[in-house]
Amino acid sequence: MSQSTSTRTTAPRGGNGRGNRAAYDLAAVLDISVAAFNDRGYDATSMGVLAERLGTTKSAIYYHVAGKEDLLRLALDKALDGLESVLEEPGARNGSPADRLRFVLRGAVLVLVRELPYVTLLLRLRGNTELERSALERRRRFDHEIATLVDLARADGSVRTDIDSRTITRLLFGMINSIVEWYKPDGSLTPDQLADDVIAIAFGGLQQPAER
């Protein structure tokens, strides 16, 4: 999705800090803003709060963006672009439905971990504005792609058919979405191991594999 035409994405370092403090670039402004949105809620976070978090002035933030909504747009694009890019990978397009489903689920977990604050913000949207509703529609399209893969995998017998496909899809989404509530990037569980564990549970369940 294209960024707002009012957003200056090539702002140089320097010239927007206080005193001798190093100035923030747009990426740093966005990171700190997203953390504030997640801590306080988007609606409750003013530009004044963001300036305080950044240790700068509101005018310094306006050097990068036109306003708070621009920051939200950029943040949601970062999360959604990452998720949507998984669907463009060869692994999501080639192979059996079950293999494609594994690939997309694994990719979604890795994007979630890589962009954890941004995906957290996406998952907490309430759809109060046109921007939020547009983002939620993009997320629904992504979810629909996974639901389609579940249906295809059930149809060819590679995924169990005794459970309703909608139930399977909702359980998969619930498991993956819950990661934002408990995963610690600085913990011992690596993103790859987490993704492997999600796939193992999704396709193998909790029952101990039979000995060969």
Side-chain angles (χ1 to χ4, degrees):
M1 180 180 291
S2 62
Q3 298 174 356
S4 168
T5 55
S6 61
T7 301
R8 302 177 62 176
T9 57
T10 57
R13 288 183 179 274
N16 65 334
R18 280 180 176 172
N20 294 323
R21 294 182 182 179
Y24 290 107
D25 61 12
L26 178 58
V29 170
L30 194 57
D31 283 347
I32 294 172
S33 298
V34 168
F37 294 156
N38 285 330
D39 289 344
R40 301 173 59 92
Y42 172 74
D43 291 335
T45 305
S46 66
M47 291 294 283
V49 168
L50 295 180
E52 183 178 352
R53 287 276 187 119
L54 288 158
T56 188
T57 62
K58 287 190 285 187
S59 61
I61 303 175
Y62 289 126
Y63 177 78
H64 294 294
V65 295
K68 189 174 74 166
E69 189 175 55
D70 265 358
L71 291 167
L72 180 62
R73 178 180 294 106
L74 290 169
L76 296 177
D77 278 351
K78 188 170 183 177
L80 287 161
D81 288 349
L83 291 171
E84 291 167 350
S85 69
V86 175
L87 299 175
E88 301 301 319
E89 295 289 333
R93 294 174 172 270
N94 303 316
S96 70
D99 286 343
R100 291 162 60 195
L101 180 60
R102 286 187 183 90
F103 181 89
V104 172
L105 292 177
R106 194 175 196 283
V109 172
L110 293 176
V111 169
L112 186 150
V113 172
R114 185 178 71 239
E115 309 295 355
L116 188 61
Y118 292 83
V119 178
T120 299
L121 181 63
L122 171 64
L123 293 177
R124 293 178 179 174
L125 289 184
R126 296 181 179 179
N128 292 333
T129 65
E130 183 60 34
L131 172 60
E132 292 184 25
R133 289 188 289 272
S134 176
L136 289 173
E137 178 57 30
R138 286 178 67 185
R139 176 60 200 268
R140 280 191 290 270
R141 289 197 295 267
F142 176 82
D143 292 350
H144 178 72
E145 293 293 330
I146 295 180
T148 298
L149 289 175
V150 170
D151 287 338
L152 291 172
R154 289 179 84 248
D156 75 2
S158 55
V159 169
R160 57 192 299 169
T161 59
D162 58 327
I163 301 176
D164 184 79
S165 62
R166 291 170 297 181
T167 300
I168 294 174
T169 302
R170 288 165 181 161
L171 290 173
L172 290 173
F173 292 154
M175 177 169 58
I176 292 174
N177 292 347
S178 72
I179 292 171
V180 303
E181 304 298 337
W182 58 265
Y183 182 73
K184 304 298 182 185
D186 56 352
S188 60
L189 183 60
T190 68
D192 283 330
Q193 184 60 57
L194 174 60
D196 289 344
D197 290 346
V198 167
I199 297 304
I201 293 297
F203 285 86
L206 293 173
Q207 187 173 11
Q208 184 74 7
E211 293 185 3
R212 297 181 178 179

